[in-house]
Each structure stands twice: as structure tokens, then as C-alpha cells.
DNA sequence: TCGAAGCAAGAGCACTGCTCTCGTTTCTGG
DNA sequence: CCAGAAACGAGAGCAGTGCTCTTGCTTCGA
């Protein structure tokens, strides 16, 4: 069935659903997730709060929808940055993606906090979020894959005790890459978000002032850590 | 003035203040910061909610107190781990501190989320938290200082564009260390919390299963990144 | 066309943080 | 020692929250 030209009711439903998410995202950007209020969203949209429950069965479900959208928005940003740097070398592409993630985070702090900050109360992310959440990681894997097929990938060391888990991760994530690389990548992936989170959540206040070059340098070191970059 | 044997009223005040924080910490561990309710705390303590405002002028102030306590608890843990490994080499001490931080985080997930997760609504951490928040970092700096005074510290590379900021950070944090080392340390510090945060907040679910060796290895690589460890 | 399903509205419940008032207890300075 | 000041606990109350239930109206599909 086509997505346009369904019944008027169905069309209204998708429109209103989108309007709710838009308004919720606005309030999210203004006040943060904790202050997002269903009633306020409904009020702003000129409807009564109970009507909103026709579209989202609970506040958590609205948040889940926003989470998925945020993952997708971030993933799309990362993919676009990668595509824009498609002709550059692996390190440049790595840096471009990392910086795109950071820029997105700085521009959407509350959405970033929603997906990479502390999880909400008793909330557990449903499986639905997994594909959207994987997009940035897949881009990074792709960069390493390209480098591996070409000549440019050094193989980082790997602690023997990590070998079994590294093999497991490799089978799951990128069977064509060396386990050493996959283990290093997963760590770098988490570390990237450590850097961004510290900047975003104020941990660098009074410590790192000129953050652009700091981040660029850290990301460059991260690239070396996964085996990218000119062998010095 | 001695801390005991003040007036009965003052003693009661500190006792009740502590009881409030204890009960709040309990609810924090059960439900998370978002669900911490002043009324529920008061109820559990057999007092009326308004009475609680004699001790903490607002919910945010209660949270601030818990945040400082959490920083102190974590810092103390890190310091103890460092002291317990005092005789070991720099890498071992580095690992011991990092693993102590991780273990504390896994044992106090909600308190960890409180201090290193997304900040609460419009909340900005008052300056009061700074000393407590610095304790882990100071321990790590101390390890590098020791290694630097001995023979065991390699100097990591530094991007030229980061030189001014690295000099500034060095003057602030550890004037006796090379700027290259300080810059690498600050990055490693943030990256450590990326690793812990990803594990704690569920980002590793379905990706990293056997997390102890993964973390050990990542922390070991981090140590190398700041110049510690046997030159291979 | 007619019953079913979707929908908006309103009232209401139990809860929240926070304020204000009021009577009581404790402390403190003259 | 004792009067005024300060601290305190209790209670009522306000404005707000997420969520439920009922009541009519509209749209849809067989």
C-alpha cells in the first residue's frame, strides 16, 4: 500500500504523530528529557492530554520514538560525513565521521543525552532501537574494512585473555577483519563517546578550554590505536 | 569547635541530614535519580514533606549533596586502590585504579549515572563539586608523575595545533609533566569513562559479552597511550 | 447502510515539588 | 534566669504531572 493517499484518517494520524514528535523534540531541546511533559506537548498542540494517548501509549513510548529518531539523525549525519570524505584516506574519513558525531552532539545536546546519557528510570531500550543505534558503528567498521582491503591497516596488539571474546565479536561484527582490529575498534568506539560526553556534560569545564584541537588530536590518536594512519 | 558535643539540636540536625541522604541514596539505588521523590523520602523517615525542606531547600540541593558524596566515594575508592597497589609498577597501578573505578560504577550504577551521566534538567553543578570530582584525576596524575620521575614514561606525540592548549592544561594540572603527557592523560581520562559508561548504560549489550578481559585490555592500551608500560 | 473502530474531550485519581502558616521547642544574649 | 530569636514539625494548599475512564462524535469498511 502506498504511503500517500490512504484514508484521510490514516493520513491525519501520521501527521499528528509527527506533530507530537516535533513538539516533543522542541521541548526536549529546551528543557531536557526529564522536563518533557505530555500535558505541555498536548497543550501546545491545542489538544487535551488524554487525546495524546491515542498516539503514544505512554510517556516512555514517546521517548522511545524520539530516541530512535535521534539515533537515525546521528547515524545519517555520520554516513553523510563519510560519504562527503569518500575520496580521502582512511584517517581523514575516520576523523570526518568522529567530528561529525561530535558536531551533531554539540548541536543536539539533549537528544545526545537521551541516547548516550544515563538511561531513564526503569526504562530499557526495546530491540527496535538496535538498527538505528548501529549506524555510526557500521560506518566506522566500513572505514576499517576499506583500509584492510587496501594496504593501510596495521594490526594492533591483543591480550591473549581477550582472544576468545575478540573472535566472538569479530564473527558478529566483521568476520573479514582481524580480531585485534575489531577489539580495538569497539574500544575506540566507546572511547569516542567518552570524549564527547565529557565535553557535553561539562566535565571538561575548567580543564580543557580549546576543545576543537583537543578533540581532533584525540580522534587522530584513536585512529592510530585501531591501526589506521601512516606508520611513523 | 568540636564536631561532637554541640547542642542537642545541632547534633540532631546532622543526624537527620544524614538519615535523609541515606534514605535518598537508597531510593536512588532502587529507582534512579528521576524517580527520587522528596515526599517518599520524608514518608519513609516518618516525617512530613515540608519538614524536609528545613534540611534541603530543594530537590536539586539534595541531589547535589548526593553528587558530592558519590564523587567522594568514588574518589576514595580510587585512592584506596592506588594505595593498595603502591608497590607495583606504574601500569599495574594504572590498571588497578581504572578497574576500581569500573567496579565502583558497576556496584553503584545510579550514583555513577548521577555524576557521569546526563546532567539533570536545568541543573548546573555548583563549584562545590569540583574538589570531590577531581580526586580520580589526581590519582591518575600522581601515577604519571611517579613514572616521570623514574625512568618509565614515554612521551606520546602531540599535534602542533594542540601545543598551546596542552601547555595551558599542563600549567593548570601538572606543571612538572610534559605537555604531551598531560594532553594524552586528559584524553585517556575521558575515554576511560566512555568505556565504563557504555558498559553501564547498555551500549555493549549484544556487542561485548565477556567484559572483564575487554576492559582490562582496553585499560592496558590506554596506559600505553599515555606513555606507560614496557616499550615493546 | 450500519456496526465497529478511531478519536477528542473532560473529569478524576494519585502523585509530585514547593510554599505558607501556625504552634512548639530549643538556643542564646543581656 | 529569662525573654526574644531562631529552628523546627505538622498541616493545608497550589499548580503541576502521568495516566485512566467514560461519553459522545466521526470516519471507516463490510
Amino acid at each position: 500500500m502506498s504511503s500517500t493517499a490512504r484514508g484521510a484518517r490514516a493520513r491525519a494520524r501520521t501527521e499528528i504523530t509527527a506533530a507530537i514528535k516535533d513538539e516533543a523534540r522542541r521541548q526536549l531541546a529546551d528543557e531536557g528529557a526529564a522536563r518533557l511533559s505530555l500535558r505541555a506537548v498536548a497543550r501546545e498542540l491545542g489538544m487535551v492530554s488524554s487525546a495524546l494517548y491515542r498516539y503514544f501509549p505512554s510517556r516512555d513510548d514517546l521517548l522511545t520514538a524520539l530516541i530512535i529518531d535521534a539515533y537515525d539523525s546521528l547515524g545519517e549525519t555520520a554516513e553523510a560525513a563519510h560519504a562527503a570524505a569518500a575520496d580521502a584516506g582512511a584517517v581523514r574519513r575516520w576523523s570526518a565521521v568522529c567530528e561529525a558525531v561530535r558536531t551533531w552532539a554539540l548541536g543536539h545536546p539533549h537528544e545526545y543525552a537521551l541516547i548516550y546519557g544515563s538511561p531513564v528510570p526503569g526504562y530499557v531500550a526495546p530491540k527496535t532501537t538496535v538498527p538505528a543505534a548501529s549506524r555510526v558503528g557500521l560506518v566506522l567498521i566500513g572505514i576499517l574494512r576499506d583500509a584492510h582491503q587496501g594496504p593501510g591497516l596495521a594490526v594492533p596488539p591483543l591480550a591473549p585473555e581477550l582472544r576468545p571474546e575478540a573472535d566472538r565479536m569479530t564473527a558478529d561484527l566483521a568476520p573479514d577483519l582481524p580480531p585485534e582490529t575489531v577489539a580495538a575498534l569497539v574500544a575506540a568506539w566507546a572511547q569516542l563517546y567518552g570524549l564527547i560526553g565529557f565535553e557535553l556534560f561539562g566535565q571538561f569545564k575548567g580543564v580543557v578550554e580549546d576543545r576543537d584541537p583537543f578533540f581532533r588530536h584525540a580522534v587522530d590518536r584513536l585512529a592510530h590505536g585501531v591501526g589506521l594512519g601512516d606508520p611513523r
Side-chain angles (χ1 to χ4, degrees), chain A:
Chain A
M1 60 190 73
S2 154
S3 75
T4 62
R6 298 163 348 275
R9 177 163 256 170
R11 189 160 51 247
R13 183 175 182 85
T14 69
E15 259 173 37
I16 295 182
T17 304
I20 292 172
K21 286 205 290 186
D22 283 353
E23 176 57 31
R25 212 177 340 260
R26 252 209 55 247
Q27 293 196 14
L28 189 70
D30 281 4
E31 304 269 22
R35 300 229 169 136
L36 194 163
S37 149
L38 282 189
R39 293 181 109 111
V41 170
R43 206 180 304 131
E44 208 68 24
L45 261 48
M47 51 169 107
V48 86
S49 76
S50 60
L52 212 147
Y53 284 82
R54 299 267 169 203
Y55 299 89
F56 296 93
S58 81
R59 200 189 103 112
D60 275 9
D61 290 270
L62 214 197
L63 279 177
T64 301
L66 294 182
I67 286 174
I68 295 177
D69 284 4
Y71 272 127
D72 271 323
S73 167
L74 175 59
E76 207 175 299
T77 302
E79 287 160 11
H82 184 240
D87 296 335
V91 175
R92 283 282 280 278
R93 273 149 61 210
W94 173 276
S95 300
V97 170
C98 292
E99 281 173 42
V101 172
R102 169 177 179 252
T103 303
W104 186 92
L106 294 179
H108 306 75
H110 286 112
E111 289 181 72
Y112 183 90
L114 197 60
I115 55 183
Y116 288 110
S118 14
V120 299
Y123 176 84
V124 281
K127 298 272 179 206
T128 333
T129 63
V130 172
S134 311
R135 294 174 67 172
V136 172
L138 291 178
V139 173
L140 296 179
I141 289 178
I143 295 175
L144 289 193
R145 203 193 315 276
D146 290 352
H148 181 57
Q149 282 162 359
L153 188 65
V155 175
L158 181 71
E161 66 158 351
L162 186 56
R163 166 66 54 171
E165 176 66 9
D167 286 342
R168 217 199 42 70
M169 292 192 293
T170 304
D172 274 11
L173 299 175
D176 50 341
L177 288 180
E180 293 88 348
T181 302
V182 173
L185 171 62
V186 172
W189 173 60
Q191 289 167 2
L192 168 67
Y193 288 95
L195 292 166
I196 294 174
F198 261 34
E199 174 172 4
L200 206 61
F201 298 157
Q203 230 78 31
F204 279 161
K205 201 165 291 174
V207 181
V208 183
E209 299 293 354
D210 196 4
R211 289 166 196 164
D212 289 10
F214 179 82
F215 185 82
R216 271 195 292 272
H217 178 250
V219 158
D220 190 66
R221 299 300 304 155
L222 237 33
H224 274 82
V226 298
L228 294 177
D230 45 288
R232 9 185 118 235

